[in-house]
């Protein structure tokens, strides 16, 4: 299997099949990040398309930049934040995951609790500000390192540490509130 | 104060504390229920965040993305093509404009010195070389001279009119004739092998046939410049017994080849025009391949034309070296004279061809330059806003 760097190089040279391979690899990731940023399928679709066009136009800039995945994650969260700033946030619809969970077959109690926790977490993420969502998604969902976040967002290490702390603290507060209701 | 510990707990979860900081934090947590509880909750949340699943994108999303990418791809390629065109046209137009300025400046300067009417340098040279002896034929591309049975001609009775100077017909078609001339010379000599070996070491022999030691046919191609020298050279091997000359008129062949070349170049232009408007990758590939194939054919045709020109410029002497004793007429004119007579007309044709070519270039080039500048200006006006 070709590495991301090889595919990017081929795509830069004009090979559209290589770019399609990149789309296959990352459409789920980008769509998921966009879903967490917007909690809305249509918006997530629009953002995913916009992000891929940005990637296509700026692939040369992605070469030699370090982790391609961390670059994609950052482009996605930044694009989402820009979009959220531009317009009023649309009214959220219940996430598909919540619906799926209701329709599923009975499962062991422990797993139900786990899944319930995840639904609560998703809902808690949704209540964060766009910037807080960004940092939580990059660090705790996509598990980017502190250095990767620092480089991607062009921040100092101290700022990254304090932003992660504040976002987590707020998420924890919201999560506790949601758990008690 | 407590927030300070909470931030350290966040760093501790991510293994961002050094050993000393970690020890201090753990010592505090042992004594602080609030921090202990916060650590446990944070670990739990981070664990859940880490294991969140990705959302499955809608099935149609992939195709929608690729549709947009293909639009971008076409846009990118079209823009690149137009920019390339403008760049190259700009450069050509700049050169053309510079050429015009220089040409007209020099022309004005020369006219001011000579006080003559405006005549291009090449045209003057043409008149100077041929004076009033230029024959005219205004009936079309193929002159009536082609009907002359050249095979019956010998060196002695060949006339310059057979190889007419380039003419310009009323329709403007160049009437240059392309004549290939072969001279056969029979040479009686003591040793055929010596002649053969000596010639092989000195001249490029195209064909060589031998029949033991009785005779040898040697086809030697020499340039007009070295022709006199060659005549002297072979005279040293023995006695000339007879000479003959055959003239082959290749004009039609040259015209046919040039028409084919023109047709293929036009075809390339048509394909290039189609490429500008095409957005289909398959079609573009087909057009690119077709252009490449045509370029190969053009290269081959050019080679054939060059070969004909070479034959036209460099006479072929087919020398038959004989061991057989024959009576040689001593009153014949010298070989050197015969050769001079035979090739003088070829010399005219050759010189005419290049003179006329330079005349055409000199006359047409300014018009071409003006046309390029005008095309560039039109292109720029038409696409002015595009590159921005």
């Amino acid at each position: 299997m070709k590495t991301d760097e090889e595919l990017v190089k081929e795509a830069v040279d004009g090979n559209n099949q290589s770019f399609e391979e990149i789309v296959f690899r990352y459409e789920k990731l980008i769509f998921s990040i966009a879903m967490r940023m917007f909690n809305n399928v249509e918006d997530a679709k629009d953002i995913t398309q916009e992000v891929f066009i940005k990637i296509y136009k700026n692939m040369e800039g992605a070469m030699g930049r370090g982790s391609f995945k961390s670059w994609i994650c950052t482009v996605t969260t930044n694009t989402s934040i820009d979009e959220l700033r531009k317009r009023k946030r649309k009214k959220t619809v219940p996430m598909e995951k919540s619906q799926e969970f209701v329709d599923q077959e009975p499962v062991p109690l422990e797993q139900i609790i786990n899944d319930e926790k995840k639904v609560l977490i998703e809902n808690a993420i949704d209540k964060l500000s766009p910037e807080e969502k960004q940092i939580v998604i990059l660090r705790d969902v996509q598990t980017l390192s502190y250095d990767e976040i620092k480089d991607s967002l062009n921040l100092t290490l101290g700022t990254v540490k304090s932003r992660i702390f504040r976002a987590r603290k707020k998420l924890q507060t919201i999560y506790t509130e949601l758990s008690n209701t | 104060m407590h927030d300070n510990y909470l931030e350290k707990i966040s760093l501790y979860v991510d293994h961002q504390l050094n050993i000393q900081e970690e020890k201090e934090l753990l010592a505090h947590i042992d004594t602080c229920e609030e921090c202990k509880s916060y650590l446990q909750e944070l670990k739990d949340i981070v664990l859940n965040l880490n294991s969140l699943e990705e959302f499955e994108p809608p099935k149609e999303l992939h195709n929608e993305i690729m549709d947009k990418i293909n639009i971008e791809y076409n846009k990118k390629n079209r823009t690149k093509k137009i920019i390339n065109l403008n760049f190259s046209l700009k450069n050509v137009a700049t050169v053309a404009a510079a050429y015009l300025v220089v040409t007209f400046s020099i022309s004005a300067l020369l006219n001011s010195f000579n006080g003559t009417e405006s005549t291009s340098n090449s045209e003057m040279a043409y008149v100077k070389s041929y004076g009033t002896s230029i024959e005219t034929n205004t009936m079309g591309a193929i002159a009536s001279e082609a009907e002359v049975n050249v095979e019956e001609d010998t060196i002695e009775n060949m006339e310059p009119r057979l190889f007419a100077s380039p003419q310009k017909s009323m329709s403007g078609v160049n009437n240059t004739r392309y004549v290939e001339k072969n001279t056969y010379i029979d040479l009686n000599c003591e040793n055929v092998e010596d002649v053969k070996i000596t010639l092989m070491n000195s001249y490029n022999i195209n064909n060589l046939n031998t029949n033991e030691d009785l005779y040898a046919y040697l086809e030697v191609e020499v340039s007009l410049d070295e022709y006199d020298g060659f005549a002297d050279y072979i005279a040293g091997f023995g006695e000339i017994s007879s000479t003959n000359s055959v003239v082959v008129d290749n004009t039609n062949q040259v015209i046919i080849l040039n028409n084919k070349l023109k047709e293929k170049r036009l075809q390339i232009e048509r394909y290039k025009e189609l490429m500008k408007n095409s957005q289909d990758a398959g079609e573009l590939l087909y057009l690119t391949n077709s252009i490449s194939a045509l370029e190969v054919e053009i290269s081959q045709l050019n080679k054939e034309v060059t070969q004909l020109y070479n034959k036209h410029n460099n006479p072929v002497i087919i020398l038959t070296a004989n061991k057989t004793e024959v009576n040689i007429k001593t009153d014949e004119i010298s070989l050197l004279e015969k050769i001079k007579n035979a090739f003088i007309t070829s010399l005219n044709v050759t010189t005419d061809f290049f003179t006329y070519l330079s005349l055409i270039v000199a006359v047409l080039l300014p018009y071409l330059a003006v046309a390029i500048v005008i095309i560039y200006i039109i292109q720029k006006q038409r696409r002015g806003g595009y590159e921005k």
Side-chain angles (χ1 to χ4, degrees), chain B residues 232-297:
Chain B
D232 287 338
Y233 184 73
I234 57 165
F237 292 118
E239 300 289 340
I240 305 289
S241 61
S242 64
T243 59
N244 196 6
S245 190
V246 175
V247 179
V248 180
D249 190 339
N250 291 323
T251 309
N252 280 345
Q253 214 178 333
V254 172
I255 290 170
I256 289 166
L257 285 175
N258 279 332
N259 283 343
K260 278 185 187 173
L261 275 169
K262 196 176 167 186
E263 197 180 302
K264 290 188 190 302
R265 283 178 183 137
L266 276 172
Q267 189 64 34
I268 286 180
E269 289 308 311
R270 279 197 287 272
Y271 283 161
K272 282 182 177 171
E273 199 58 41
L274 285 173
M275 281 178 83
K276 279 182 199 168
N277 301 323
S278 175
Q279 295 184 1
D280 181 74
E283 193 183 10
L284 283 170
L285 186 65
Y286 168 77
L287 290 170
T288 311
N289 289 340
S290 301
I291 287 174
S292 301
L294 282 168
E295 280 169 349
V296 171
E297 287 176 34

Side-chain angles (χ1 to χ4, degrees), chain A residues 130-147:
Chain A
E131 290 76 12
E132 289 162 345
K133 278 183 188 176
Q134 179 180 45
I135 207 85
V136 166
I137 288 169
L138 294 181
R139 174 59 203 155
D140 291 328
V141 183
Q142 299 304 330
T143 62
L144 265 58
S145 71
Y146 278 61
D147 280 339

Side-chain angles (χ1 to χ4, degrees), chain B residues 86 378-388:
Chain B
N86 281 343
I378 292 168
Q379 289 265 6
K380 202 178 175 186
Q381 280 177 346
R382 197 182 293 165
R383 293 175 178 149
Y386 201 100
E387 279 181 76
K388 290 170 196 170

Side-chain angles (χ1 to χ4, degrees), chain A residues 168, chain B residues 8-16 39 42-43 46:
Chain A
R168 280 173 171 173
Chain B
K8 282 191 174 167
I9 288 170
S10 174
L11 293 170
Y12 171 73
V13 171
D14 290 333
H15 311 289
Q16 295 292 314
L39 172 62
L42 186 61
K43 274 185 175 175
V46 168

